[in-house]
Amino acid sequence: MTILTILEFPDERLRKKAQPIAVVDDAARRLLDDMLETMYAAPGVGLAAPQVNVHKRVVVIDVTEEKNSPLCLINPEIISKEGEEESEEGCLSVPGVFEKITRAEKITVRAQDRTGQSFELETGGLLAVCIQHELDHLEGKLFVDYLSPLKRHMARKKIQKAHRQKHEPRAKPGSHAAPI
């Protein structure tokens, strides 16, 4: 398995709409395995293929504390929604930013599993929030799109600052050079 590179906001590749998987084959299963490895290493509770620059309708999720119950969704679609709930969300593609977002409280999703079998899942709570969040990625939508323009701008600035700090040259231990 391979740990894949996660794209970060405001990368425009995150805005590209994902295409359906025509056949669930070994290549699709390898993608699922690589995505799970990447999600667990990040660490996160969900990952959509567009976040790793693969524009296919594939999502992996594991909301368990033990990280031992992965849910793989191929070609997922929400077929019903019920109620509303506000919860704090974060995103591996928007590191360090957490905001309250309103989503459906309960959903039913239809998808294929890693063998290509179709199934339906009715769920609520964190899993419902996570599924809705990841399915947004398949449409080229990020959770920051639900925020006010000001909060979205602040998220962009926070990520840009983190990138600058990560790429600034560091002084050698014992030297007194100031950052440029």
Side-chain angles (χ1 to χ4, degrees), residues 39-40 43-47 60-64 67 92 126 130 134:
M39 178 189 72
Y40 289 134
V45 296
L47 187 68
V60 295
I61 296 171
D62 189 343
V63 296
T64 64
K67 303 299 178 208
L92 295 175
L126 178 58
C130 194
E134 300 308 333

Side-chain angles (χ1 to χ4, degrees), residues 6-43:
I6 298 173
L7 302 176
E8 292 184 2
F9 174 74
D11 193 312
E12 283 302 312
R13 294 173 289 180
L14 290 166
R15 301 301 186 172
K16 189 174 178 183
K17 191 171 180 178
Q19 299 302 308
I21 293 268
V23 177
V24 179
D25 56 11
D26 287 342
R29 285 184 280 277
R30 194 167 30 261
L31 173 60
L32 288 167
D33 292 339
D34 290 346
M35 287 174 60
L36 284 166
E37 181 92 0
T38 303
M39 178 189 72
Y40 289 134

Side-chain angles (χ1 to χ4, degrees), residues 61-135:
I61 296 171
D62 189 343
V63 296
T64 64
E65 297 257 341
E66 302 79 19
K67 303 299 178 208
N68 63 0
S69 293
L71 175 63
C72 299
L73 304 173
I74 299 172
N75 300 323
E77 60 180 318
I78 294 173
I79 55 175
S80 72
K81 295 181 178 185
E82 187 181 313
E84 273 191 1
E85 173 177 59
E86 184 179 75
S87 60
E88 189 169 80
E89 291 185 29
C91 181
L92 295 175
S93 291
V94 190
V97 177
F98 298 90
E99 294 288 342
K100 290 198 178 286
I101 305 294
T102 301
R103 297 202 184 262
E105 183 179 15
K106 294 180 182 177
I107 61 165
T108 302
V109 63
R110 178 184 301 133
Q112 292 169 277
D113 65 16
R114 63 183 298 121
T115 68
Q117 286 293 114
S118 291
F119 70 96
E120 288 185 9
L121 172 67
E122 188 177 316
T123 190
L126 178 58
L127 182 56
V129 168
C130 194
I131 290 171
Q132 291 171 84
H133 176 110
E134 300 308 333
L135 268 59

